[in-house]
Amino acid sequence: MNILLLGSGGREHALAAKIKQSAKADKLFIAPGNAGTSREGVNVNIAATDFASLRAFALANDIAMIVVGPEDPLVKGIYDFFANDPALQHIAVIGPSRLGAQMEGSKDFAKAFMMRHNIPTARYKSVTAETMGEGLAFLDTLRAPYVLKADGLAAGKGVLIIDNPEEAKRELGVMLAGKFGDAGKTVVIEEFLDGIECSVFALTDGNSYKILPVAKDYKRIGEGDTGLNTGGMGAVSPVRFAGKSFMEKVESRIVRPTVEGLKAEGIGYKGFLFFGLINVGGEPFVIEYNCRMGDPETEVVMLRIREDLVGLLEGVATGRLNELALTEDPRAAATVMLVSGGYPEAYEKGKRIEGLTSGIPPGTVIFHAGAEASGDEVITSGGRVLAVSSYGSDIKDALEQSYRVIDGLHFDKMYYRRDIGFDLQ
Ligand code: AMP
Ligand code: GLY
């Protein structure tokens, strides 16, 4: 079948590489893609949210399946757009309905869902400008630090963690007055949970689900998890503390009730579900849901799925996921993100990347994130540039291999964290 993959980051390159391995995939197109995805299929210059152009392209190219990488098209309703158009109904869109995507698109929606289904998460209160007084009173019931979240999508910047109660109250007012625009018209105030985070992914056809290899990402720019938040500086899989007994709790208390809750409420969901979890003294809590795969987690998770991904996605589309197996590669995987100097603040683009063509060893694959072709060269085009991903006997071994490969790569002002996985070894 012909497949159209949406997105342009390292996640999409990793998905494209895995899709390309499938005997079921005929032509693979990526819209808009990047320098890496152009090696796995054909890049198409259409934005992932330009539904009208995607419609025309899908019909003209006999597309049977659309795999959605980022959240934007999902929150904007690409699933419903295809499902509601008689000319497009034969095309399987892998991703939730617009309502299902609210699990990520609205933190208030996600929290209320978890309350209805008794899914463990931090205590919270949602407030608007009209109910700000209740928010101030709720803050008085909490201990520092205080967690304030803009309800809607805010490009990863909508979460504030504040130590001082007066400052938290002041900041609540600033958020409700429009600091994050419409995304912050409702603010979710949460109890702070103290623990270590991990990322659990499930693939669901709306009835059954498969849990993917568990990963941990490293979001801060600085070593030792310091400094500003980024899109993700590296990831590892498996995660030592997320062993059998923890994952049994995750499945019975979180994954199963989520899939069953979506079904019971008639919320269409055929795609990836991302559980951002925190382990508090051995007990899992949900920090957030996302309606897509994580980036850079995908760059390690795809390496550790043994099965044909297209076969699994077909199972999602046809509602026969329960008939399929999903097994983990016993090897560990790690990815280290090379970023542009200055990221996540201002940085320069257009830097020539050297070392990409010289002898990348087996067991390593370099996924392109913010990189584009320029003649015969590859140049930087984003903050996160390359995800250097390796297998190893354990995560330490996988990381050592990635760092060895990184020694042979270079671009002006290249930066990366040398301590990915530091808390797990
Ligand atoms: P989110 O966008 O909801 O994932 O939040 C961003 C980050 O803030 C998370 O990855 C956590 O590190 C942190 N965070 C969010 N909510 C809480 C919470 N209730 N307790 C502790 N940390 C949190
Ligand atoms: N790595 C976290 C995310 O993709 O949101």
Side-chain angles (χ1 to χ4, degrees), residues 232-244:
M233 296 296 291
V236 298
S237 176
V239 177
R240 199 176 54 188
F241 67 78
K244 192 161 182 286

Side-chain angles (χ1 to χ4, degrees), residues 337-340 353 367-371 380-387 411:
M337 195 62 83
L338 306 183
V339 308
S340 302
I353 304 173
F367 295 121
H368 292 53
T380 67
S381 62
R384 293 193 295 168
V385 177
L386 299 173
F411 54 87

Side-chain angles (χ1 to χ4, degrees), residues 23-61:
K24 292 173 184 281
D26 294 320
K27 289 192 189 141
L28 171 63
F29 300 97
I30 308 96
N34 64 27
T37 62
S38 69
R39 294 205 310 248
E40 319 291 345
V42 177
N43 285 353
V44 183
N45 191 17
I46 302 175
T49 49
D50 180 356
F51 296 173
S53 299
L54 293 173
R55 176 188 198 278
F57 182 86
L59 291 173
N61 291 277

Side-chain angles (χ1 to χ4, degrees), residues 119-273:
I119 293 167
T121 187
R123 212 152 58 81
Y124 82 108
K125 182 156 196 71
S126 293
V127 296
T128 60
E130 288 71 47
T131 56
M132 182 167 150
E134 292 172 34
L136 297 174
F138 184 67
L139 280 169
D140 282 332
T141 71
L142 300 176
R143 280 192 313 194
Y146 306 91
V147 183
L148 303 179
K149 300 184 174 183
D151 172 53
L153 294 182
K157 298 193 168 72
V159 176
L160 300 179
I161 298 183
I162 301 171
D163 285 326
N164 177 295
E166 295 315 316
E167 195 191 330
K169 288 179 180 174
R170 224 177 13 253
E171 197 55 50
L172 176 63
V174 175
M175 286 175 85
L176 291 172
K179 176 173 181 168
F180 296 106
D182 279 354
K185 276 188 170 165
T186 297
V187 173
V188 175
I189 306 168
E190 269 186 30
E191 164 191 41
F192 180 83
L193 296 175
D194 195 5
I196 182 163
E197 290 174 62
C198 65
S199 304
V200 168
F201 302 93
L203 192 55
T204 179
D205 59 7
N207 284 305
S208 67
Y209 59 83
K210 300 285 174 200
I211 297 180
L212 278 51
V214 55
K216 183 174 196 304
D217 79 332
Y218 292 81
K219 291 195 177 71
R220 304 293 197 93
I221 189 73
E223 288 171 6
D225 286 342
T226 55
L228 293 173
N229 251 320
T230 72
M233 296 296 291
V236 298
S237 176
V239 177
R240 199 176 54 188
F241 67 78
K244 192 161 182 286
S245 86
F246 182 77
M247 288 306 292
E248 275 170 10
K249 293 177 189 171
V250 169
E251 179 167 5
S252 65
R253 299 177 193 172
I254 295 171
V255 178
R256 191 178 309 134
T258 300
V259 172
E260 285 175 356
L262 289 166
K263 185 180 177 190
E265 296 190 25
I267 300 172
Y269 208 115
K270 285 172 173 281
F272 294 102
L273 239 175

